[in-house]
Amino acid sequence: MKQYLSLIFCLFSFSATLPAQTLATGFKSGSNGNPISPVVFCADPTALEYNGRLYVYGTNDHQEFLANGKKGDNSYGNIKSIVIFSTADMVNWTFHGTIDTQKICSSWVKNPWYQSYGVSWAPSVTWRTNPETGEDEFFLYFCNSSHGVGVLKASSPVGPFKSPLNKLMIHYDTLGANKQGTYANFDPGVMIDDNGVGWISFGGLGVNGINAKAARIIKLKPSMTEVDGSAVEIPAPYHFEANELNMIGGKYVYTYCSNWANRDNAEWNAYKSEHGITASAPGGGTMCYMVSDNPMDPNSWVYKGAYGPGVAGNNHSHLQKFKGNYYHIYHNHGSVLLDVMKKEGAVDASAGDYRSICVNKASVSESSATVSTVTLDLEGCDAIDNVNPYELQQTETFATCGGLEYEDFTNIKKNGRISTLGNDASENLQVKMDVNDWTYVRKVDFGTKAASRFMIRAKGTGTFTVSIGRKGAKSAVFDFSSTDMEDHVVEVDPEKFKGTKNLYFSLTSATGDVYWDAWQFMETDADGIQTMESCKPLRRQRYDLSGRPLSSASQAHGIIIEQTVDARGVKHQRKTMYQ
């Protein structure tokens, strides 16, 4: 049972005495939507919509970044997990941790070697309500280097995921797949069509020309964990990698990244004439798309053009409809996040090719299954919804931040401090904060009644500040102390917390480690009257700033935490100076 600790003291006169804070450096502007994470490198995005949230999954470049000591190039060889983020509003993103594919797939067969587990790149996801059981099922596919495609299954978009097979689902021995020594069987793209049938595309690194010959598509059995029949080629011009599938307007839409082969005008004109199209040849590294009514007929696929501009280095994106709008979810390279970190001296200058997932709005005509060219920028997307402060909000949900580390609360209790970037995805994450760390949440809607109280669920001893609109402002300041994760509640000025605001949350002082799990505001009473009850304390206990109880008054020196319990059993807490 969480305890509500009412911290009763003069908030605003106390806040005026706090010295000016130099807050931790942030690597993403609060006005920008891109990248979606200001602290985690990730790439090769895929997505699904579920229960009003958009879940985005990606290759965990950050695992390689940490394994390399935050320096050097990304070789991708240490990437053995998949990251998960989600959003309800397209500007504030929740980090759900990682899917530890190395652990999940540890029992896969070792022979033949190309059906065993090695790494996990470029995930693709889908979900359905099982027609027989009525239960929701989530399927995640990933490529094991160039050797093939593995599948995981869960009953929740954040897991826990399990491996339904003891080997890769698609590999060199799969009928119709690319054979060993030819092209790659990687970068899966999954889709369930309007008839409830599953399909998956894959393949890449083919001939560096117009007829690459490496793109494949294959039907899935009703289980979604086995292939049905043989794969066939998708004759994608200038194909390179990054396969994904969508169903748009009753059409099968296949997207991919183009290669960097020289474009010969005569060759392209001959292709256009043969296929009866007018589209221009794609530039190198752009995102292209094709449309079909019959995915297993190679001659049915029609090239429609390029819609996603090229980015520096490889390109990988996913088209996703969410709350009525289409979005182009893609990764960008160093210029988005890594270069900012280098400029601030936060990473070694040698660090290279650690990517970041970004999102921009896309324009899609469902009636004609056409996709317009997307504009890529740092501004990203507008908020499509506001944050409800009267619902419990996870700390790891924000637009940007400075100086934070993610931790897994369950693992901390069991094993001490462990980074989540190598552990299973969890809804029970918390954030470790140091002094001057902060988060920034956009579009928090307090409504017309306003808020009268604020709660943080935290562990440790420190001073916490809530700032409206401007980093470093002090709209509410209070102290907290607890040895366990507890709910700390404080009165706030309703006149400040009304309407729609952007909020900064910061830790302005601390003794020892501070962990922050969640926050929530409480709405003003209907009559708008705020009262501070005077309750005679029945019990009094003093703690030092580390949360250790003091057995006698003689031990109280300097600033201590004084906790009282009133006649109603409610705890009250404040800082007190002892000489």
Side-chain angles (χ1 to χ4, degrees):
M1 181 71 67
K2 299 291 183 181
Q3 295 177 317
Y4 284 85
L5 308 181
S6 200
L7 312 180
I8 309 299
F9 59 94
C10 186
L11 288 168
F12 304 107
S13 62
F14 176 78
S15 68
T17 66
L18 287 176
Q21 295 293 131
T22 302
L23 296 180
T25 300
F27 305 115
K28 170 188 171 183
S29 168
S31 60
N32 287 340
N34 287 325
I36 66 172
S37 174
V39 290
V40 176
F41 292 112
C42 43
D44 305 323
T46 185
L48 60 82
E49 179 179 1
Y50 184 71
N51 283 354
R53 295 192 70 84
L54 177 66
Y55 290 85
V56 173
Y57 306 73
T59 303
N60 190 1
D61 278 18
H62 211 84
Q63 190 171 21
E64 177 88 9
F65 177 67
L66 296 177
N68 290 345
K70 301 183 180 181
K71 58 185 178 182
D73 288 329
N74 187 355
S75 68
Y76 315 115
N78 292 301
I79 300 175
K80 301 176 187 292
S81 58
I82 293 165
V83 298
I84 308 178
F85 290 86
S86 75
T87 185
D89 55 31
M90 300 305 296
V91 296
N92 298 296
W93 290 86
T94 303
F95 179 55
H96 293 283
T98 61
I99 304 167
D100 188 349
T101 52
Q102 183 177 31
K103 177 182 177 182
I104 296 169
C105 306
S106 62
S107 63
W108 282 13
V109 297
K110 305 301 181 184
N111 188 32
W113 63 268
Y114 52 80
Q115 294 184 30
S116 66
Y117 174 81
V119 293
S120 50
W121 306 339
S124 186
V125 292
T126 192
W127 75 278
R128 70 177 181 187
T129 300
N130 187 297
E132 295 183 0
T133 66
E135 296 178 351
D136 293 343
E137 298 176 321
F138 299 82
F139 301 92
L140 185 147
Y141 305 82
F142 65 91
C143 64
N144 185 38
S145 183
S146 63
H147 306 145
V149 175
V151 58
L152 305 178
K153 184 179 177 181
S155 58
S156 158
V158 296
F161 283 89
K162 297 181 180 179
S163 174
L165 306 177
N166 66 347
K167 60 183 178 180
L168 289 175
M169 186 184 76
I170 295 173
H171 44 77
Y172 293 129
D173 298 334
T174 300
L175 293 177
N178 294 307
K179 300 306 175 184
Q180 186 176 348
T182 58
Y183 315 131
N185 290 316
F186 66 1
D187 287 13
V190 69
M191 177 197 69
I192 298 175
D193 68 18
D194 293 342
N195 298 314
V197 178
W199 302 87
I200 195 164
S201 56
F202 61 96
L205 306 184
V207 177
N208 190 31
I210 189 171
N211 297 315
K213 300 184 180 300
R216 297 287 187 273
I217 187 169
I218 195 168
K219 185 179 178 181
L220 295 175
K221 290 184 178 181
S223 67
M224 296 293 290
T225 61
E226 295 178 274
V227 298
D228 187 358
S230 176
V232 299
E233 181 185 344
I234 300 177
Y238 299 110
H239 175 269
F240 183 60
E241 60 183 14
N243 316 280
E244 278 281 11
L245 290 172
N246 284 84
M247 200 79 186
I248 300 177
K251 302 281 188 180
Y252 297 84
V253 178
Y254 167 68
T255 62
Y256 67 96
C257 174
S258 63
N259 62 32
W260 285 266
N262 291 329
R263 274 40 169 179
D264 181 87
N265 288 335
E267 183 179 56
W268 184 252
N269 288 334
Y271 179 89
K272 290 198 300 180
S273 177
E274 178 184 357
H275 295 277
I277 63 172
T278 59
S280 301
T286 56
M287 296 305 303
C288 309
Y289 74 111
M290 303 182 77
V291 173
S292 170
D293 291 314
N294 180 9
M296 293 303 285
D297 178 8
N299 294 322
S300 72
W301 288 99
V302 178
Y303 178 79
K304 302 287 283 187
Y307 69 93
V311 298
N314 58 14
N315 203 348
H316 197 124
S317 73
H318 176 68
L319 275 175
Q320 179 66 41
K321 189 176 183 180
F322 177 57
K323 294 185 177 179
N325 298 312
Y326 278 91
Y327 295 93
H328 176 64
I329 311 173
Y330 60 100
H331 70 229
N332 215 324
H333 292 253
S335 58
V336 173
L337 182 61
L338 184 61
D339 287 355
V340 179
M341 288 184 170
K342 288 182 179 180
K343 182 179 178 181
E344 297 293 340
V347 301
D348 191 86
S350 67
D353 201 33
Y354 298 104
R355 301 161 294 178
S356 298
I357 292 177
C358 302
V359 185
N360 284 98
K361 200 170 182 179
S363 178
V364 175
S365 170
E366 292 187 337
S367 60
S368 61
T370 56
V371 186
S372 301
T373 302
V374 178
T375 298
L376 310 184
D377 57 37
L378 290 178
E379 185 177 350
C381 305
D382 293 331
I384 61 173
D385 203 353
N386 292 335
V387 175
N388 183 353
Y390 306 120
E391 295 178 350
L392 189 69
Q393 301 292 335
Q394 295 300 311
T395 303
E396 57 275 10
T397 301
F398 47 73
T400 187
C401 68
L404 294 185
E405 294 181 22
Y406 295 110
E407 304 289 343
D408 186 293
F409 182 56
T410 302
N411 285 340
I412 284 174
K413 279 198 164 185
K414 290 180 179 179
N415 305 317
R417 180 182 168 196
I418 301 176
S419 168
T420 60
L421 292 174
N423 297 326
D424 291 347
S426 170
E427 290 186 304
N428 198 28
L429 293 180
Q430 63 182 9
V431 168
K432 179 181 181 295
M433 295 191 81
D434 292 323
V435 174
N436 299 327
D437 288 356
W438 54 273
T439 66
Y440 177 61
V441 181
R442 293 170 62 179
K443 301 287 186 178
V444 180
D445 187 3
F446 291 96
T448 56
K449 284 187 177 180
S452 60
R453 292 183 296 163
F454 173 65
M455 180 275 291
I456 63 166
R457 182 169 295 164
K459 171 186 176 181
T461 298
T463 301
F464 198 81
T465 300
V466 184
S467 307
I468 296 175
R470 182 171 60 86
K471 185 163 55 177
K474 297 180 178 64
S475 302
V477 181
F478 67 98
D479 305 315
F480 63 94
S481 183
S482 59
T483 55
D484 293 317
M485 189 66 69
E486 293 181 349
D487 294 350
H488 307 269
V489 181
V490 66
E491 305 282 344
V492 298
D493 183 355
E495 289 303 312
K496 295 187 177 184
F497 294 93
K498 65 169 55 176
T500 302
K501 308 290 185 182
N502 297 325
L503 298 183
Y504 285 93
F505 302 100
S506 60
L507 184 69
T508 48
S509 70
T511 301
D513 290 337
V514 170
Y515 295 95
W516 180 28
D517 180 54
W519 60 271
Q520 185 176 7
F521 283 84
M522 292 75 173
E523 204 167 17
T524 302
D525 294 336
D527 58 11
I529 299 174
Q530 301 301 304
T531 60
M532 301 277 282
E533 293 187 23
S534 177
C535 300
K536 183 178 179 180
L538 297 182
R539 297 197 309 273
R540 186 187 307 273
Q541 177 64 59
R542 299 180 179 90
Y543 301 85
D544 66 17
L545 291 180
S546 298
R548 292 185 293 264
L550 303 176
S551 60
S552 65
S554 62
Q555 293 181 304
H557 299 286
I559 298 176
I560 68 165
I561 304 296
E562 188 172 73
Q563 180 177 284
T564 59
V565 180
D566 63 28
R568 295 176 292 114
V570 177
K571 292 182 180 180
H572 307 278
Q573 187 168 292
R574 65 175 182 172
K575 272 185 179 178
T576 302
M577 174 66 76
Y578 273 72
Q579 301 298 326

